[in-house]
Amino acid sequence: MKVRLVDLTLFHRPSGHRHRLPLATFPGYQSGPADSPPNVTWLPLVTAGADASVSIGSLGAADGQAELRIGDLVLRNETSRNPGQRFATVQNLDTGAWLRLALDDRPLNLLLTGDYVIQAVTEREIEDGAPLAEAVTIWTARVGQPKPKRTEIALPIYDSRLDYDTPIQTERYKGTGGYEGPAELKDTLKELPLGHCPMARPTYLGIIDGFHRWSVGGGKPVQDVPRGWSSGVGVAKQSGATPADNAHFTVDLASGIVTTTVKYADFRVEVLGRKFAGVYRRTIGELIAALATGTGLASTVDSAGMDAIPRTVGLFLAAGDSTTHAAAYAKFVGSVPRGGWYVGTAGQLVVTRVPRPTAAVAVRAYSSAAGTTTGLQYVEGQHNPPAKQVVVRCAHNPSPSSSAATDATAADATRWTQEWIEVPSATDAAIAAAWGSSAKVATIKTVLTFSADAAAELPAWVAELSAPPTLYELPALDGAPGIWIGDTVTVEDDIAGFADGAPVVVYGRTIADRTGGATLYVAR
C-alpha cells in the first residue's frame, strides 16, 4: 500500500520562524529509529491529493511559456476521538529542533487561527512500512489561502512558477530632476538592458551640468555601449567624461549614463547590458539564473541543459516596461527549439532544452498489456501541417523607422528601418508537393542577438517544425513517482508505432489524479 507524505512549510508569525508539519494519507506513517528524522509521525489527515498539473508549452512552438492547472489539496479537520491526533510533531526549520505541538479537537484548526501562514507543500510517496529513505518526491508547490469547510480544509495548490509573474524591474524614477528624471518620468519604471541589446532607445533625462544626458541602465552598471545612431546616422563612442562634438557620445559604464552635446530627434544605441554582481550575463541560462537568484525567486538554478550550447540573447526593457520574469524567461528559452524552464521537484529552477525521445535512456516502461497504463490518448487539436520553410528572426529593432537620414550608410539605413534580421531555410520541395497550400512558412521570432546563432539553431527548428512531435496523454497507474519534465519513458501499446515499445519524452504531468495515478503529457 502506498502512502503519500505531505510536508507543509509554515511561517509561524509569533516566533518569525518556519515550521514543518508532517501529514499523510491513510493510514499515516511513522519513521523508525534508524530513519532521518527518527520517530516522527505523519498524521493521517490528508483526504485527497491536489488535482493539479504542470507542463512546458514550447514543444513545436516558440514561446517557452509554462501551462499550469491549479487544484486543491484536501485535509481532514473533523473532531478527532483519537488521542494520538491531539499532538503533532513539528520541526522548526530555522533551528532544526523538533517540537511537540498540542492540537485542538479539530486537529488542523491551527492553520486557521492566523498564527501560521502556509508557504509551501512537498509531497512524497512511500510504501507503507518502508524506510523513509525510500520515499520519492512527487512535487513541490506553493499554497494559497486555506478554504475551511465543515470537516475539511482545502488548500489551493499552484506551481511555484506563478511566483515568477512579477515585474523584473521594480525601481522607478522619482521625477525630481537630474538623474532621477524630469517630472513627467515620476513613478515610471526605469529602463533595464538584459544581455546584448542590438538596438535600444535610451531614456532622455534632460540637460544636466550643461550636457544632454540619457540613461540606458536604470542607474546600474552596464558592460558597454559600443555604438549609437541618430536617425540612422552613426554616432561614435568617445572616451572621457563628455563628448567633443555632436558626432560623438560618451558613456559612464558604472551608471549607464550616456552624454551628448545635442538632443537627437531619434537616438538609439547598442547596449551590452546589466552587470549582475559585477558580471555581464548574456546567454540564456546564465541570464535567467542571474535574474532569478538576484531577486530571491530561486536559490538554485540548473542551466547546464541550456548553456551547454550557449546562445547570446538580448531584451531591452524601456522605461515603463513591466515585463515579468515569467514572460522574459519565455522569450529567452523560446528562442531555441524545445527550450523550456520549470521548477524541479527539489525546488530548483531548471532551464533546459527538452530532449528528443531517442536522446536519453528511459527511466521507466509502461505497457497496456501489462496493466501499468490504460493506453495512450492522442491529444486533439495540437498538430499543424509540417512547415515547408522556417524563418528565424533575430537582432530585434523594437521601433524601426520608415526611413533613415540621407547621409546614413547603406548598412545603417537598412538596420534602422528593418525590425528583424531574418535567417531563412531552404524550401522543402517534398513537403510543398505533398501538402500543397496547407504547408506554411513558419516564422520564429527570437531574442537571439546574432544571425550566426540563429543560423546555428535553424536546422533544429527545421527538424522540429517540418516533422512536428505527436503529443499524447499517458495514464500512469503507479502515479509516476520520480518522473518529471524532460524524462524519457518507454510505452508499449496497441497503436501504430508502439506495438514493440517506443520512447516518448515527458513535457508535463498531473501532480496526482483523483484515481491515485497520474497522467503524463508525452511527445513522440
Side-chain angles (χ1 to χ4, degrees), residues 168 194 274-277 279-298 301 303 307 325 329 349 351:
I168 295 175
L194 300 174
R274 171 69 58 85
K275 286 185 174 183
F276 296 87
V279 180
Y280 168 54
R281 304 293 187 182
R282 60 178 178 79
T283 62
I284 296 171
E286 68 175 9
L287 188 51
I288 291 177
L291 287 168
T293 57
T295 53
L297 289 171
V301 180
S303 60
D307 283 348
H325 284 263
Y329 298 0
L349 177 61
V351 185

PDB file of all heavy atoms in Angstrom, residues 168 194 274-277 279-298 301 303 307 325 329 349 351:
ATOM      1  N   ILE A 168      10.180  42.327 -13.579  1.00  0.00           N
ATOM      2  CA  ILE A 168      11.629  42.254 -13.360  1.00  0.00           C
ATOM      3  C   ILE A 168      12.131  43.558 -12.760  1.00  0.00           C
ATOM      4  O   ILE A 168      12.856  43.569 -11.767  1.00  0.00           O
ATOM      5  CB  ILE A 168      12.355  41.965 -14.689  1.00  0.00           C
ATOM      6  CG1 ILE A 168      11.981  40.579 -15.206  1.00  0.00           C
ATOM      7  CG2 ILE A 168      13.866  42.074 -14.512  1.00  0.00           C
ATOM      8  CD1 ILE A 168      12.569  40.265 -16.562  1.00  0.00           C
ATOM      9  N   LEU A 194      18.936  43.772 -20.692  1.00  0.00           N
ATOM     10  CA  LEU A 194      19.275  42.397 -20.329  1.00  0.00           C
ATOM     11  C   LEU A 194      20.013  41.750 -21.488  1.00  0.00           C
ATOM     12  O   LEU A 194      19.491  41.670 -22.604  1.00  0.00           O
ATOM     13  CB  LEU A 194      18.007  41.607 -19.998  1.00  0.00           C
ATOM     14  CG  LEU A 194      17.162  42.147 -18.841  1.00  0.00           C
ATOM     15  CD1 LEU A 194      15.858  41.366 -18.724  1.00  0.00           C
ATOM     16  CD2 LEU A 194      17.941  42.092 -17.531  1.00  0.00           C
ATOM     17  N   ARG A 274      23.119  44.888 -18.400  1.00  0.00           N
ATOM     18  CA  ARG A 274      23.280  44.939 -16.960  1.00  0.00           C
ATOM     19  C   ARG A 274      24.328  43.946 -16.464  1.00  0.00           C
ATOM     20  O   ARG A 274      24.385  42.801 -16.898  1.00  0.00           O
ATOM     21  CB  ARG A 274      21.925  44.640 -16.299  1.00  0.00           C
ATOM     22  CG  ARG A 274      21.935  44.439 -14.781  1.00  0.00           C
ATOM     23  CD  ARG A 274      22.239  45.699 -14.017  1.00  0.00           C
ATOM     24  NE  ARG A 274      21.301  46.752 -14.310  1.00  0.00           N
ATOM     25  CZ  ARG A 274      20.121  46.908 -13.698  1.00  0.00           C
ATOM     26  NH1 ARG A 274      19.723  46.046 -12.786  1.00  0.00           N
ATOM     27  NH2 ARG A 274      19.349  47.933 -14.003  1.00  0.00           N
ATOM     28  N   LYS A 275      25.142  44.425 -15.529  1.00  0.00           N
ATOM     29  CA  LYS A 275      26.051  43.541 -14.815  1.00  0.00           C
ATOM     30  C   LYS A 275      25.371  43.060 -13.540  1.00  0.00           C
ATOM     31  O   LYS A 275      24.745  43.845 -12.830  1.00  0.00           O
ATOM     32  CB  LYS A 275      27.346  44.274 -14.462  1.00  0.00           C
ATOM     33  CG  LYS A 275      28.282  44.520 -15.630  1.00  0.00           C
ATOM     34  CD  LYS A 275      29.583  45.132 -15.132  1.00  0.00           C
ATOM     35  CE  LYS A 275      30.612  45.268 -16.239  1.00  0.00           C
ATOM     36  NZ  LYS A 275      31.892  45.809 -15.730  1.00  0.00           N
ATOM     37  N   PHE A 276      25.497  41.785 -13.268  1.00  0.00           N
ATOM     38  CA  PHE A 276      24.941  41.195 -12.060  1.00  0.00           C
ATOM     39  C   PHE A 276      26.098  40.816 -11.150  1.00  0.00           C
ATOM     40  O   PHE A 276      26.911  39.964 -11.506  1.00  0.00           O
ATOM     41  CB  PHE A 276      24.106  39.963 -12.395  1.00  0.00           C
ATOM     42  CG  PHE A 276      22.892  40.262 -13.238  1.00  0.00           C
ATOM     43  CD1 PHE A 276      22.988  40.289 -14.620  1.00  0.00           C
ATOM     44  CD2 PHE A 276      21.669  40.533 -12.650  1.00  0.00           C
ATOM     45  CE1 PHE A 276      21.880  40.567 -15.407  1.00  0.00           C
ATOM     46  CE2 PHE A 276      20.556  40.809 -13.428  1.00  0.00           C
ATOM     47  CZ  PHE A 276      20.664  40.830 -14.806  1.00  0.00           C
ATOM     48  N   ALA A 277      26.169  41.483  -9.992  1.00  0.00           N
ATOM     49  CA  ALA A 277      27.283  41.267  -9.063  1.00  0.00           C
ATOM     50  C   ALA A 277      28.614  41.443  -9.789  1.00  0.00           C
ATOM     51  O   ALA A 277      29.564  40.687  -9.574  1.00  0.00           O
ATOM     52  CB  ALA A 277      27.194  39.895  -8.410  1.00  0.00           C
ATOM     53  N   VAL A 279      29.254  41.042 -13.003  1.00  0.00           N
ATOM     54  CA  VAL A 279      29.493  40.151 -14.143  1.00  0.00           C
ATOM     55  C   VAL A 279      28.410  40.364 -15.195  1.00  0.00           C
ATOM     56  O   VAL A 279      27.213  40.353 -14.884  1.00  0.00           O
ATOM     57  CB  VAL A 279      29.518  38.674 -13.703  1.00  0.00           C
ATOM     58  CG1 VAL A 279      29.768  37.766 -14.900  1.00  0.00           C
ATOM     59  CG2 VAL A 279      30.582  38.455 -12.636  1.00  0.00           C
ATOM     60  N   TYR A 280      28.833  40.554 -16.434  1.00  0.00           N
ATOM     61  CA  TYR A 280      27.915  40.704 -17.562  1.00  0.00           C
ATOM     62  C   TYR A 280      27.384  39.337 -17.975  1.00  0.00           C
ATOM     63  O   TYR A 280      28.153  38.408 -18.219  1.00  0.00           O
ATOM     64  CB  TYR A 280      28.668  41.372 -18.714  1.00  0.00           C
ATOM     65  CG  TYR A 280      27.985  41.353 -20.058  1.00  0.00           C
ATOM     66  CD1 TYR A 280      26.691  41.832 -20.219  1.00  0.00           C
ATOM     67  CD2 TYR A 280      28.663  40.877 -21.182  1.00  0.00           C
ATOM     68  CE1 TYR A 280      26.082  41.831 -21.465  1.00  0.00           C
ATOM     69  CE2 TYR A 280      28.064  40.879 -22.431  1.00  0.00           C
ATOM     70  CZ  TYR A 280      26.777  41.347 -22.567  1.00  0.00           C
ATOM     71  OH  TYR A 280      26.183  41.344 -23.806  1.00  0.00           O
ATOM     72  N   ARG A 281      26.066  39.197 -18.044  1.00  0.00           N
ATOM     73  CA  ARG A 281      25.434  37.931 -18.401  1.00  0.00           C
ATOM     74  C   ARG A 281      24.698  38.100 -19.727  1.00  0.00           C
ATOM     75  O   ARG A 281      23.933  39.052 -19.895  1.00  0.00           O
ATOM     76  CB  ARG A 281      24.440  37.502 -17.322  1.00  0.00           C
ATOM     77  CG  ARG A 281      25.038  37.395 -15.921  1.00  0.00           C
ATOM     78  CD  ARG A 281      26.052  36.272 -15.820  1.00  0.00           C
ATOM     79  NE  ARG A 281      26.511  36.070 -14.450  1.00  0.00           N
ATOM     80  CZ  ARG A 281      27.418  35.176 -14.099  1.00  0.00           C
ATOM     81  NH1 ARG A 281      27.969  34.399 -15.026  1.00  0.00           N
ATOM     82  NH2 ARG A 281      27.793  35.050 -12.841  1.00  0.00           N
ATOM     83  N   ARG A 282      24.890  37.153 -20.659  1.00  0.00           N
ATOM     84  CA  ARG A 282      24.291  37.310 -21.983  1.00  0.00           C
ATOM     85  C   ARG A 282      23.713  36.025 -22.563  1.00  0.00           C
ATOM     86  O   ARG A 282      22.965  36.075 -23.535  1.00  0.00           O
ATOM     87  CB  ARG A 282      25.332  37.863 -22.961  1.00  0.00           C
ATOM     88  CG  ARG A 282      26.551  36.970 -23.109  1.00  0.00           C
ATOM     89  CD  ARG A 282      27.550  37.492 -24.119  1.00  0.00           C
ATOM     90  NE  ARG A 282      28.730  36.645 -24.200  1.00  0.00           N
ATOM     91  CZ  ARG A 282      28.788  35.501 -24.871  1.00  0.00           C
ATOM     92  NH1 ARG A 282      27.724  35.078 -25.536  1.00  0.00           N
ATOM     93  NH2 ARG A 282      29.889  34.777 -24.890  1.00  0.00           N
ATOM     94  N   THR A 283      24.062  34.840 -22.022  1.00  0.00           N
ATOM     95  CA  THR A 283      23.497  33.607 -22.556  1.00  0.00           C
ATOM     96  C   THR A 283      22.215  33.260 -21.803  1.00  0.00           C
ATOM     97  O   THR A 283      21.971  33.742 -20.697  1.00  0.00           O
ATOM     98  CB  THR A 283      24.491  32.438 -22.471  1.00  0.00           C
ATOM     99  OG1 THR A 283      24.808  32.189 -21.103  1.00  0.00           O
ATOM    100  CG2 THR A 283      25.762  32.760 -23.238  1.00  0.00           C
ATOM    101  N   ILE A 284      21.398  32.410 -22.409  1.00  0.00           N
ATOM    102  CA  ILE A 284      20.040  32.174 -21.910  1.00  0.00           C
ATOM    103  C   ILE A 284      20.035  31.698 -20.465  1.00  0.00           C
ATOM    104  O   ILE A 284      19.372  32.283 -19.598  1.00  0.00           O
ATOM    105  CB  ILE A 284      19.323  31.154 -22.812  1.00  0.00           C
ATOM    106  CG1 ILE A 284      19.165  31.722 -24.225  1.00  0.00           C
ATOM    107  CG2 ILE A 284      17.962  30.784 -22.230  1.00  0.00           C
ATOM    108  CD1 ILE A 284      18.656  30.718 -25.244  1.00  0.00           C
ATOM    109  N   GLY A 285      20.760  30.624 -20.194  1.00  0.00           N
ATOM    110  CA  GLY A 285      20.725  30.045 -18.856  1.00  0.00           C
ATOM    111  C   GLY A 285      21.305  30.958 -17.799  1.00  0.00           C
ATOM    112  O   GLY A 285      20.719  31.144 -16.724  1.00  0.00           O
ATOM    113  N   GLU A 286      22.472  31.544 -18.081  1.00  0.00           N
ATOM    114  CA  GLU A 286      23.122  32.370 -17.060  1.00  0.00           C
ATOM    115  C   GLU A 286      22.345  33.655 -16.809  1.00  0.00           C
ATOM    116  O   GLU A 286      22.339  34.175 -15.688  1.00  0.00           O
ATOM    117  CB  GLU A 286      24.564  32.684 -17.461  1.00  0.00           C
ATOM    118  CG  GLU A 286      24.724  33.607 -18.656  1.00  0.00           C
ATOM    119  CD  GLU A 286      26.183  33.968 -18.934  1.00  0.00           C
ATOM    120  OE1 GLU A 286      27.058  33.359 -18.302  1.00  0.00           O
ATOM    121  OE2 GLU A 286      26.428  34.856 -19.773  1.00  0.00           O
ATOM    122  N   LEU A 287      21.663  34.170 -17.828  1.00  0.00           N
ATOM    123  CA  LEU A 287      20.883  35.392 -17.647  1.00  0.00           C
ATOM    124  C   LEU A 287      19.648  35.123 -16.786  1.00  0.00           C
ATOM    125  O   LEU A 287      19.335  35.890 -15.863  1.00  0.00           O
ATOM    126  CB  LEU A 287      20.482  35.949 -19.011  1.00  0.00           C
ATOM    127  CG  LEU A 287      19.811  37.319 -19.049  1.00  0.00           C
ATOM    128  CD1 LEU A 287      20.618  38.351 -18.274  1.00  0.00           C
ATOM    129  CD2 LEU A 287      19.617  37.771 -20.490  1.00  0.00           C
ATOM    130  N   ILE A 288      18.953  34.024 -17.064  1.00  0.00           N
ATOM    131  CA  ILE A 288      17.804  33.655 -16.232  1.00  0.00           C
ATOM    132  C   ILE A 288      18.256  33.375 -14.801  1.00  0.00           C
ATOM    133  O   ILE A 288      17.603  33.790 -13.834  1.00  0.00           O
ATOM    134  CB  ILE A 288      17.079  32.439 -16.830  1.00  0.00           C
ATOM    135  CG1 ILE A 288      16.386  32.831 -18.137  1.00  0.00           C
ATOM    136  CG2 ILE A 288      16.065  31.867 -15.843  1.00  0.00           C
ATOM    137  CD1 ILE A 288      15.702  31.682 -18.843  1.00  0.00           C
ATOM    138  N   ALA A 289      19.385  32.690 -14.653  1.00  0.00           N
ATOM    139  CA  ALA A 289      19.891  32.385 -13.313  1.00  0.00           C
ATOM    140  C   ALA A 289      20.197  33.662 -12.540  1.00  0.00           C
ATOM    141  O   ALA A 289      19.880  33.775 -11.346  1.00  0.00           O
ATOM    142  CB  ALA A 289      21.139  31.511 -13.411  1.00  0.00           C
ATOM    143  N   ALA A 290      20.813  34.634 -13.205  1.00  0.00           N
ATOM    144  CA  ALA A 290      21.148  35.890 -12.534  1.00  0.00           C
ATOM    145  C   ALA A 290      19.889  36.635 -12.104  1.00  0.00           C
ATOM    146  O   ALA A 290      19.827  37.194 -11.002  1.00  0.00           O
ATOM    147  CB  ALA A 290      21.996  36.762 -13.457  1.00  0.00           C
ATOM    148  N   LEU A 291      18.874  36.640 -12.961  1.00  0.00           N
ATOM    149  CA  LEU A 291      17.628  37.327 -12.620  1.00  0.00           C
ATOM    150  C   LEU A 291      16.916  36.631 -11.466  1.00  0.00           C
ATOM    151  O   LEU A 291      16.438  37.278 -10.533  1.00  0.00           O
ATOM    152  CB  LEU A 291      16.715  37.372 -13.846  1.00  0.00           C
ATOM    153  CG  LEU A 291      17.118  38.335 -14.962  1.00  0.00           C
ATOM    154  CD1 LEU A 291      16.300  38.069 -16.221  1.00  0.00           C
ATOM    155  CD2 LEU A 291      16.940  39.780 -14.510  1.00  0.00           C
ATOM    156  N   ALA A 292      16.835  35.303 -11.528  1.00  0.00           N
ATOM    157  CA  ALA A 292      16.073  34.562 -10.521  1.00  0.00           C
ATOM    158  C   ALA A 292      16.743  34.592  -9.156  1.00  0.00           C
ATOM    159  O   ALA A 292      16.083  34.795  -8.127  1.00  0.00           O
ATOM    160  CB  ALA A 292      15.870  33.121 -10.980  1.00  0.00           C
ATOM    161  N   THR A 293      18.058  34.397  -9.125  1.00  0.00           N
ATOM    162  CA  THR A 293      18.748  34.386  -7.833  1.00  0.00           C
ATOM    163  C   THR A 293      18.914  35.795  -7.284  1.00  0.00           C
ATOM    164  O   THR A 293      18.877  35.997  -6.070  1.00  0.00           O
ATOM    165  CB  THR A 293      20.126  33.713  -7.954  1.00  0.00           C
ATOM    166  OG1 THR A 293      20.907  34.393  -8.957  1.00  0.00           O
ATOM    167  CG2 THR A 293      19.973  32.252  -8.350  1.00  0.00           C
ATOM    168  N   GLY A 294      19.072  36.768  -8.180  1.00  0.00           N
ATOM    169  CA  GLY A 294      19.266  38.140  -7.729  1.00  0.00           C
ATOM    170  C   GLY A 294      18.050  38.724  -7.048  1.00  0.00           C
ATOM    171  O   GLY A 294      18.171  39.645  -6.227  1.00  0.00           O
ATOM    172  N   THR A 295      16.868  38.205  -7.375  1.00  0.00           N
ATOM    173  CA  THR A 295      15.637  38.701  -6.758  1.00  0.00           C
ATOM    174  C   THR A 295      15.087  37.741  -5.712  1.00  0.00           C
ATOM    175  O   THR A 295      14.016  37.986  -5.158  1.00  0.00           O
ATOM    176  CB  THR A 295      14.562  38.933  -7.832  1.00  0.00           C
ATOM    177  OG1 THR A 295      14.398  37.737  -8.607  1.00  0.00           O
ATOM    178  CG2 THR A 295      14.958  40.068  -8.758  1.00  0.00           C
ATOM    179  N   GLY A 296      15.801  36.653  -5.444  1.00  0.00           N
ATOM    180  CA  GLY A 296      15.362  35.713  -4.425  1.00  0.00           C
ATOM    181  C   GLY A 296      14.271  34.761  -4.865  1.00  0.00           C
ATOM    182  O   GLY A 296      13.721  34.028  -4.037  1.00  0.00           O
ATOM    183  N   LEU A 297      13.952  34.726  -6.155  1.00  0.00           N
ATOM    184  CA  LEU A 297      12.933  33.798  -6.631  1.00  0.00           C
ATOM    185  C   LEU A 297      13.439  32.361  -6.620  1.00  0.00           C
ATOM    186  O   LEU A 297      12.653  31.419  -6.507  1.00  0.00           O
ATOM    187  CB  LEU A 297      12.492  34.183  -8.044  1.00  0.00           C
ATOM    188  CG  LEU A 297      11.648  35.458  -8.148  1.00  0.00           C
ATOM    189  CD1 LEU A 297      11.462  35.856  -9.606  1.00  0.00           C
ATOM    190  CD2 LEU A 297      10.289  35.255  -7.483  1.00  0.00           C
ATOM    191  N   ALA A 298      14.732  32.182  -6.774  1.00  0.00           N
ATOM    192  CA  ALA A 298      15.325  30.842  -6.749  1.00  0.00           C
ATOM    193  C   ALA A 298      16.666  30.922  -6.041  1.00  0.00           C
ATOM    194  O   ALA A 298      17.380  31.921  -6.155  1.00  0.00           O
ATOM    195  CB  ALA A 298      15.505  30.297  -8.163  1.00  0.00           C
ATOM    196  N   VAL A 301      19.820  27.174  -9.442  1.00  0.00           N
ATOM    197  CA  VAL A 301      19.415  27.160 -10.847  1.00  0.00           C
ATOM    198  C   VAL A 301      20.287  26.158 -11.593  1.00  0.00           C
ATOM    199  O   VAL A 301      21.517  26.196 -11.494  1.00  0.00           O
ATOM    200  CB  VAL A 301      19.550  28.551 -11.497  1.00  0.00           C
ATOM    201  CG1 VAL A 301      19.120  28.499 -12.966  1.00  0.00           C
ATOM    202  CG2 VAL A 301      18.725  29.578 -10.739  1.00  0.00           C
ATOM    203  N   SER A 303      21.134  25.274 -15.230  1.00  0.00           N
ATOM    204  CA  SER A 303      21.017  25.721 -16.621  1.00  0.00           C
ATOM    205  C   SER A 303      21.967  24.970 -17.544  1.00  0.00           C
ATOM    206  O   SER A 303      22.173  25.380 -18.689  1.00  0.00           O
ATOM    207  CB  SER A 303      21.284  27.229 -16.721  1.00  0.00           C
ATOM    208  OG  SER A 303      22.591  27.544 -16.264  1.00  0.00           O
ATOM    209  N   ASP A 307      22.787  25.986 -21.453  1.00  0.00           N
ATOM    210  CA  ASP A 307      24.026  26.672 -21.818  1.00  0.00           C
ATOM    211  C   ASP A 307      25.136  25.732 -22.258  1.00  0.00           C
ATOM    212  O   ASP A 307      26.258  26.180 -22.517  1.00  0.00           O
ATOM    213  CB  ASP A 307      24.499  27.553 -20.658  1.00  0.00           C
ATOM    214  CG  ASP A 307      23.692  28.843 -20.574  1.00  0.00           C
ATOM    215  OD1 ASP A 307      22.957  29.135 -21.531  1.00  0.00           O
ATOM    216  OD2 ASP A 307      23.785  29.546 -19.554  1.00  0.00           O
ATOM    217  N   HIS A 325       9.170  38.309 -14.913  1.00  0.00           N
ATOM    218  CA  HIS A 325      10.188  37.266 -15.037  1.00  0.00           C
ATOM    219  C   HIS A 325       9.683  36.149 -15.944  1.00  0.00           C
ATOM    220  O   HIS A 325      10.397  35.694 -16.839  1.00  0.00           O
ATOM    221  CB  HIS A 325      10.532  36.701 -13.656  1.00  0.00           C
ATOM    222  CG  HIS A 325      11.393  37.591 -12.836  1.00  0.00           C
ATOM    223  ND1 HIS A 325      12.760  37.452 -12.754  1.00  0.00           N
ATOM    224  CD2 HIS A 325      11.090  38.659 -12.046  1.00  0.00           C
ATOM    225  CE1 HIS A 325      13.261  38.376 -11.953  1.00  0.00           C
ATOM    226  NE2 HIS A 325      12.270  39.119 -11.508  1.00  0.00           N
ATOM    227  N   TYR A 329      11.543  35.070 -19.335  1.00  0.00           N
ATOM    228  CA  TYR A 329      12.135  33.733 -19.437  1.00  0.00           C
ATOM    229  C   TYR A 329      11.558  32.987 -20.639  1.00  0.00           C
ATOM    230  O   TYR A 329      12.264  32.248 -21.328  1.00  0.00           O
ATOM    231  CB  TYR A 329      11.865  32.919 -18.174  1.00  0.00           C
ATOM    232  CG  TYR A 329      12.444  33.467 -16.888  1.00  0.00           C
ATOM    233  CD1 TYR A 329      13.176  34.655 -16.865  1.00  0.00           C
ATOM    234  CD2 TYR A 329      12.248  32.815 -15.681  1.00  0.00           C
ATOM    235  CE1 TYR A 329      13.692  35.159 -15.683  1.00  0.00           C
ATOM    236  CE2 TYR A 329      12.768  33.308 -14.493  1.00  0.00           C
ATOM    237  CZ  TYR A 329      13.473  34.483 -14.492  1.00  0.00           C
ATOM    238  OH  TYR A 329      13.975  34.976 -13.314  1.00  0.00           O
ATOM    239  N   LEU A 349      15.283  25.816  -9.911  1.00  0.00           N
ATOM    240  CA  LEU A 349      14.846  26.321 -11.209  1.00  0.00           C
ATOM    241  C   LEU A 349      15.671  25.635 -12.289  1.00  0.00           C
ATOM    242  O   LEU A 349      16.905  25.656 -12.242  1.00  0.00           O
ATOM    243  CB  LEU A 349      15.034  27.838 -11.273  1.00  0.00           C
ATOM    244  CG  LEU A 349      14.694  28.514 -12.606  1.00  0.00           C
ATOM    245  CD1 LEU A 349      13.235  28.307 -12.965  1.00  0.00           C
ATOM    246  CD2 LEU A 349      15.026  30.000 -12.547  1.00  0.00           C
ATOM    247  N   VAL A 351      16.510  25.343 -16.339  1.00  0.00           N
ATOM    248  CA  VAL A 351      16.449  25.980 -17.655  1.00  0.00           C
ATOM    249  C   VAL A 351      17.131  25.028 -18.621  1.00  0.00           C
ATOM    250  O   VAL A 351      18.325  24.747 -18.487  1.00  0.00           O
ATOM    251  CB  VAL A 351      17.162  27.345 -17.651  1.00  0.00           C
ATOM    252  CG1 VAL A 351      16.982  28.045 -18.998  1.00  0.00           C
ATOM    253  CG2 VAL A 351      16.654  28.221 -16.517  1.00  0.00           C
TER     254      VAL A 351
END
